Amino acid sequence: GGVAVGAPPPPPQQPLFLPGKASLFEQLDKTVLLVLRDGRTLVGTLRSFDQFMNLALEGAVDRIIVGASYSDFELGMLIVRGDDVVMLGDLEGPDFGHLQRVTNDEILQAADDEPASERLVWDFEG
């Protein structure tokens, strides 16, 4: 019962765990929230990704949050470079927890009125 001479080697076994990719497979076709290196927050349905973690988001929006309010600015289909992604996570349900949704005009006004000392600023470079 040995291996016949000249027989091709057996096919490699598919690993049960794909390091670095497994969690993204689980996120496919789900609504995700991304925080980008420039501090922007994007929300959309993850449709695809590659080995560099470049992401294809369908129905993407730029979510602006000021205090306890937020508003979404529609972007549509979007490709996000993996280098720009700082954080990616599930977004459960259509609302955003304790935050109140307001119009785009209201959130822009609130952003203008907010004192600079109270603004959330991400510093991923330093």
Side-chain angles (χ1 to χ4, degrees), residues 15-89:
L16 296 176
F17 175 69
L18 300 171
K21 292 185 180 179
S23 64
L24 286 180
F25 277 120
E26 295 169 5
Q27 304 303 323
L28 279 175
D29 299 324
K30 293 186 179 173
T31 301
V32 295
L33 179 139
L34 304 176
V35 175
L36 303 183
R37 197 182 335 191
D38 65 3
R40 286 185 296 158
T41 301
L42 302 180
V43 175
T45 303
L46 182 62
R47 291 298 183 202
S48 184
F49 64 92
D50 66 12
Q51 71 269 27
F52 303 108
M53 209 177 109
N54 297 318
L55 308 171
L57 291 180
E58 184 177 42
V61 297
D62 186 355
R63 180 159 287 180
I64 297 179
I65 303 166
V66 178
S69 301
Y70 77 94
S71 190
D72 293 337
F73 291 79
E74 293 184 22
L75 302 172
M77 187 69 181
L78 192 65
I79 304 297
V80 181
R81 280 184 53 112
D83 289 347
D84 291 331
V85 178
V86 175
M87 183 174 64
L88 179 148

